[in-house]
Amino acid sequence: MLAFRQASAFLVLFLAAVLPPPPCAQDPAVVHYVYQRFQVLEQGLQKCTQATRAYIQDFREFSKNISVMLGRCLTYTSEFKSAVNNLALRVEHAQREVDYLEYLREADMCIESEDKMLAEKLVQEAEDEKKIRTLLNASCDNMLMGIKSLKIVKKTMDRDGSWMKDAVGNSPKVYFLTGSRNNTVWEFANMRALMEDSTKPGPRKLILTHSWQGTGQVIYKGFLFFHNQGTPNEIIKYNLQKRTVEDRMLLPGGAGRALVYQHSPSTYIDLAVDEYGLWAIHSGPGIHGHLVLTKIEPGTLGMEHSWVTPCKSQDAEAAFLLCGVLYVVYSFGGHGPHRITCVYDPRGTITEEDLPNLFFPKRPRSHSMIHYNARDKQLYAWNDGNQIIYKLQIKRKQPLK
């Protein structure tokens, strides 16, 4: 206020010095008027100062309130951030719990799946065993104990071939098939007619509509079953009386794509007959040279069951079945000794440990075929052009439990 007054006085002196003196400068009324105007101006300035002070005071209070509110905001922000961090930790913990529960659920599902698969496997194995028992339910309890002797029935110039009798019925006829690829079957009236060429009447010549492949042919219930030449896995059922193809089938599983026996280079599928009926022995890709045993229903040529055996085709020369058991004959190098070193029983009633050493009488070369005749209980074999009968020593095996 003092400064304002000093400024007012200074302004009055300045105006007095600069402005020319009015004519009526000594008039008291004018002086009084100027004084009043200055008072009014002074009052206005005083009000302005008070308002300014009030505004400054309000602004200070506002600033103080803002500072307080900002502090509260910082506090709230810190609390909110802490709450958010805590929530994030809880969410992460909850996620770990969920992941753990999901892991436990998946583990339980895997265990349940494994248990289910194991149960299904056990059920399937039980069903397969029941099926095998049903399939092989004939009263046949014989097992091979030895090869007693051999009899050379005939000698020909053909190194490969097969010969046989029908294992079912009472027919004395003998069938003679020369070569590993042919379509001519010689039918002899009996064994004597085969042994003695001069016997009358002579053999009947049967020309087939298809040629066979290999030496794995069999006669069963009046039908000739053979591997059709030119096909990898076709089996033909041929009616010898009507001389027509009765039926045919394709063996599955890559049959016929590999030799069944290493020392029989023309045989890809070997058929066999025993007390249980018709079988096929073969190999194929993806089974590492193991022999496959397939049971065939002879009436419909349907596949009843198949087993991958532990027996291998390497060094094998022939095989046959007796009472549902596969016996595989081996010779190292194809020149003997000829012995049975692998036995497979689908029912598991006998193993190789149950058998003695099974040697064949010494022969200079490997066998072209060895087939068992369930009616005669003998083996019919072809060895280097010789038609041979092996007499067997058989005993009863342990019954199924």
Side-chain angles (χ1 to χ4, degrees):
M1 192 67 184
L2 179 61
F4 176 75
R5 289 180 179 178
Q6 289 177 353
S8 300
F10 178 76
L11 181 60
V12 171
L13 293 175
F14 177 76
L15 293 175
V18 174
L19 296 175
C24 53
Q26 302 300 322
D27 190 353
V30 174
V31 175
H32 180 70
Y33 172 76
V34 172
Y35 179 74
Q36 286 182 339
R37 297 305 299 173
F38 273 109
Q39 282 185 336
V40 172
L41 181 60
E42 185 179 21
Q43 291 176 356
L45 290 175
Q46 186 176 4
K47 290 180 179 180
C48 181
T49 301
Q50 292 176 352
T52 302
R53 289 179 177 177
Y55 292 151
I56 292 174
Q57 184 63 31
D58 292 341
F59 181 76
R60 286 177 179 175
E61 292 180 358
F62 175 75
S63 298
K64 183 177 179 181
N65 293 333
I66 291 296
S67 298
V68 173
M69 294 176 66
L70 287 175
R72 291 177 180 177
C73 287
L74 292 175
T75 302
Y76 293 154
T77 302
S78 177
E79 293 176 354
F80 178 75
K81 183 177 181 181
S82 177
V84 169
N85 291 334
N86 185 35
L87 180 61
L89 292 175
R90 293 177 65 182
V91 169
E92 183 179 358
H93 179 72
Q95 184 62 43
R96 286 199 298 267
E97 294 289 337
V98 170
D99 293 341
Y100 179 68
L101 292 176
E102 183 68 19
Y103 167 76
L104 292 179
R105 187 181 69 85
E106 292 179 355
D108 291 339
M109 291 178 61
C110 290
I111 294 174
E112 291 176 359
S113 177
E114 291 177 357
D115 292 341
K116 184 178 179 182
M117 291 176 61
L118 179 60
E120 291 177 352
K121 182 179 179 182
L122 293 175
V123 170
Q124 185 63 40
E125 289 178 352
E127 291 179 353
D128 288 344
E129 183 177 357
K130 182 179 179 181
K131 182 178 179 181
I132 292 171
R133 288 176 181 267
T134 304
L135 185 64
L136 307 179
N137 62 354
S139 58
C140 183
D141 55 0
N142 293 328
M143 60 186 294
L144 180 63
M145 296 304 296
I147 295 96
K148 294 194 299 183
S149 63
L150 67 83
K151 177 182 179 181
I152 298 178
V153 176
K154 191 178 182 66
K155 182 174 179 61
T156 65
M157 300 301 295
D158 298 289
R159 179 176 177 180
D160 296 324
S162 61
W163 71 292
M164 67 213 71
K165 292 169 65 177
D166 195 336
V168 179
N170 299 318
S171 174
K173 293 179 180 179
V174 180
Y175 296 90
F176 203 81
L177 296 80
T178 59
S180 59
R181 293 176 178 84
N182 204 339
N183 69 335
T184 302
V185 178
W186 295 95
E187 181 186 271
F188 292 85
N190 50 45
M191 190 68 70
R192 179 179 294 274
L194 173 67
M195 297 172 62
E196 300 175 2
D197 293 334
S198 60
T199 303
K200 300 298 181 179
R204 186 166 68 122
K205 185 178 182 181
L206 306 176
I207 304 297
L208 308 181
T209 57
H210 295 71
S211 297
W212 64 75
Q213 166 73 42
T215 58
Q217 305 83 23
V218 293
I219 302 287
Y220 186 68
K221 293 184 178 181
F223 295 95
L224 172 65
F225 296 84
F226 62 91
H227 177 197
N228 188 18
Q229 181 185 354
T231 67
N233 59 342
E234 185 178 57
I235 305 300
I236 286 183
K237 177 182 179 182
Y238 194 86
N239 191 320
L240 292 175
Q241 298 300 321
K242 298 179 181 178
R243 301 191 184 186
T244 58
V245 174
E246 189 80 10
D247 203 351
R248 61 185 73 202
M249 72 170 293
L250 297 177
L251 277 177
R257 297 183 182 179
L259 288 173
V260 61
Y261 312 120
Q262 179 183 355
H263 298 309
S264 184
S266 62
T267 303
Y268 290 83
I269 297 174
D270 189 17
L271 299 173
V273 172
D274 71 347
E275 292 82 356
Y276 292 110
L278 182 62
W279 303 79
I281 308 164
H282 55 92
S283 186
I287 53 176
H288 308 290
H290 288 270
L291 298 181
V292 178
L293 180 62
T294 300
K295 184 69 177 65
I296 300 174
E297 206 293 311
T300 62
L301 287 188
M303 189 185 76
E304 296 182 294
H305 206 282
S306 189
W307 301 264
V308 177
T309 74
C311 304
K312 290 195 172 185
S313 61
Q314 183 178 0
D315 291 320
E317 61 180 64
F320 60 92
L321 280 107
L322 188 157
C323 281
V325 179
L326 176 68
Y327 298 85
V328 184
V329 183
Y330 291 87
S331 61
F332 297 95
H335 302 291
H338 313 283
R339 59 177 298 188
I340 296 171
T341 57
C342 187
V343 176
Y344 177 72
D345 183 2
R347 296 175 298 173
T349 57
I350 65 172
T351 61
E352 296 174 18
E353 289 75 14
D354 300 322
L355 302 175
N357 292 326
L358 298 173
F359 285 91
F360 282 79
K362 187 175 181 180
R363 301 298 301 166
R365 295 183 181 275
S366 61
H367 293 84
S368 175
M369 57 80 65
I370 300 177
H371 283 169
Y372 171 70
N373 186 285
R375 178 156 56 106
D376 297 343
K377 300 292 189 288
Q378 298 179 140
L379 295 180
Y380 288 70
W382 191 299
N383 183 283
D384 195 25
N386 297 289
Q387 289 73 55
I388 302 171
I389 290 179
Y390 290 105
K391 295 186 180 297
L392 306 178
Q393 180 182 354
I394 296 174
K395 79 168 188 176
R396 293 171 63 91
K397 59 183 176 181
Q398 296 294 327
L400 286 171
K401 296 182 180 180

